Amino acid sequence: HLWPHLWPHLWPHLWPHLRACVATELVSRPPPLVHACVHMPGMPAYALYSRLGVQGRDEASMAQVMEGADIVINMVGKRYETKGLLPVDGEGKFSPLKGSRVNFSYEDVNVGVAASIAKVAAATPSVTKLIHVSCLGASPDSPSVLMRTKFAGEEAVKAAFPTATIVRPATFFGHEDWFLNWYAWMGERLRMVLVEDGSALVQPVHVANVAKAIMMACESEELEGKTLELAGPADYSRAEIAAFVNDITKQNKEILPVPKQILSLAGQAVETTLWNPYLTKDDVEVMSLDLVSDEAAAKAAGHVTFADLGIEPTPLEKIAFQYLHRYRKGGHFVYASGYH
């Protein structure tokens, strides 16, 4: 099996299911794998695991690492555009007026890389399955460039590899997420912020449930060419999520509603100045959207849900405390009797 990797919170949950398989990870930048997987059982079993590097625009390197693989799982994705230190032109030369600092745009990652992976997979004789991980909310009409390019990426993948399985997970939660951890991180260092009144809805899904669904797609011919729409058991407003995280972390800071226009300007400033921005202009657009699954609409579109797969999605409340308590001042033990 072979899969490109850029979502470190999803990969560790797939690995325990795949320890009996030969696994190659195709990476453009090595993630902190040991740190990300420290809580996962079975992660030290590296004997059947190897990591090979590729460049996102180099199809020859993709073909080299796909040779002999039977399944390709594409988890490449980025919530912000990566940038260099100085603006350069198309030939890589410094150009302060006509150049750009962006080296991989949303279009490059979500459409270009996805299309290349699908094209190379289709041309590799040993590859029988392609599973492409997109996201819930992908739409050509979305105000979010992330969501528009995610949809365009799905179309490019299906054009190159018609039997590809498309996976559309809702907002992930789990130990390495950038969802609950984001609210906790913001509350710890700055303030938890909401776009306007925080009324936009999310339907968070546990990353382990999505990993299980992907494994079923690996093993089932019936899911080829299908779209998996995977959402959690309940929806919440962004304001409810912020209050929930605030309660667990006991930060007791006032949650700050911010007008969308002002927060967009703040996001633009942050992504311009920081290599790994904690907020972008497009993040604000995403946080303004209702990212929930309409089961009736999913059925009408022929999409596959957790119910169809026989998977019971894990409630947010069952997992969140396991990793959010570390944001408490002094840690969990300050509040637990018998430790002081």
Side-chain angles (χ1 to χ4, degrees):
H1 296 1
L2 165 101
W3 38 88
H5 169 80
L6 227 104
W7 287 3
H9 49 292
L10 179 56
W11 163 249
H13 292 268
L14 275 173
W15 177 253
H17 298 286
L18 293 160
R19 281 178 293 163
C21 305
V22 175
T24 302
E25 181 184 11
L26 182 157
V27 297
S28 57
R29 183 171 59 188
L33 185 67
V34 174
H35 171 75
C37 304
V38 68
H39 67 282
M40 297 301 300
M43 287 310 298
Y46 292 118
L48 300 178
Y49 167 82
S50 62
R51 177 186 292 165
L52 299 173
V54 300
Q55 214 282 340
R57 298 185 176 95
D58 183 6
E59 292 185 0
S61 65
M62 294 180 187
Q64 183 179 9
V65 296
M66 286 188 195
E67 185 178 355
D70 55 348
I71 301 174
V72 175
I73 306 176
N74 177 15
M75 296 185 288
V76 173
K78 204 72 173 178
R79 46 163 284 274
Y80 59 88
E81 296 182 317
T82 56
K83 298 177 176 66
L85 181 61
L86 298 173
V88 296
D89 60 19
E91 297 179 354
K93 297 179 180 179
F94 175 65
S95 179
L97 298 179
K98 298 183 179 180
S100 171
R101 289 177 57 212
V102 174
N103 51 27
F104 274 93
S105 66
Y106 291 108
E107 183 82 17
D108 291 333
V109 174
N110 297 326
V111 185
V113 173
S116 293
I117 291 171
K119 175 185 173 182
V120 174
T124 303
S126 62
V127 174
T128 58
K129 289 178 184 288
L130 172 62
I131 299 171
H132 175 77
V133 181
S134 181
C135 63
L136 188 67
S139 167
D141 304 317
S142 176
S144 162
V145 63
L146 173 69
M147 296 301 179
R148 292 196 303 272
T149 54
K150 280 291 189 181
F151 179 83
E154 293 179 3
E155 296 299 297
V157 166
K158 288 187 286 188
F161 202 114
T163 60
T165 301
I166 306 298
V167 181
R168 286 185 173 180
T171 307
F172 279 128
F173 71 91
H175 286 73
E176 306 86 20
D177 70 39
W178 193 235
F179 174 52
L180 300 184
N181 276 311
W182 181 82
Y183 283 100
W185 187 93
M186 288 289 289
E188 184 179 57
R189 290 162 177 79
L190 302 166
R191 286 286 186 87
M192 292 187 200
V193 294
L194 301 173
V195 180
E196 304 291 351
D197 61 355
S199 59
L201 300 175
V202 286
Q203 195 171 349
V205 62
H206 189 217
V207 64
N209 297 148
V210 176
K212 186 174 182 179
I214 290 175
M215 281 306 305
M216 293 181 70
C218 288
E219 298 166 351
S220 171
E221 294 184 1
E222 295 179 0
L223 296 178
E224 292 181 6
K226 300 287 187 179
T227 295
L228 277 56
E229 190 167 314
L230 308 176
D235 59 61
Y236 311 85
S237 70
R238 292 273 179 175
E240 289 174 325
I241 291 294
F244 173 71
V245 173
N246 205 18
D247 180 60
I248 290 181
T249 59
K250 299 189 180 296
Q251 294 173 351
N252 299 320
K253 289 184 180 179
E254 183 181 357
I255 298 169
L256 190 63
V258 181
K260 181 179 178 180
Q261 188 174 8
I262 293 177
L263 200 57
S264 292
L265 291 172
Q268 188 170 16
V270 172
E271 68 178 313
T272 301
T273 55
L274 297 183
W275 297 107
N276 186 9
Y278 57 83
L279 183 70
T280 70
K281 182 179 180 180
D282 200 65
D283 283 340
V284 178
E285 291 291 349
V286 172
M287 289 190 288
S288 304
L289 301 173
D290 288 338
L291 299 177
V292 296
S293 176
D294 184 332
E295 190 169 343
K299 293 291 185 185
H303 293 176
V304 177
T305 65
F306 278 131
D308 299 316
L309 298 175
I311 298 173
E312 184 176 353
T314 305
L316 181 75
E317 298 84 355
K318 186 175 180 179
I319 302 295
F321 179 80
Q322 295 177 14
Y323 60 98
L324 289 182
H325 68 77
R326 68 179 183 268
Y327 291 97
R328 293 180 173 186
K329 187 176 182 180
H332 169 59
F333 299 116
V334 172
Y335 299 91
S337 61
Y339 292 102
H340 48 76

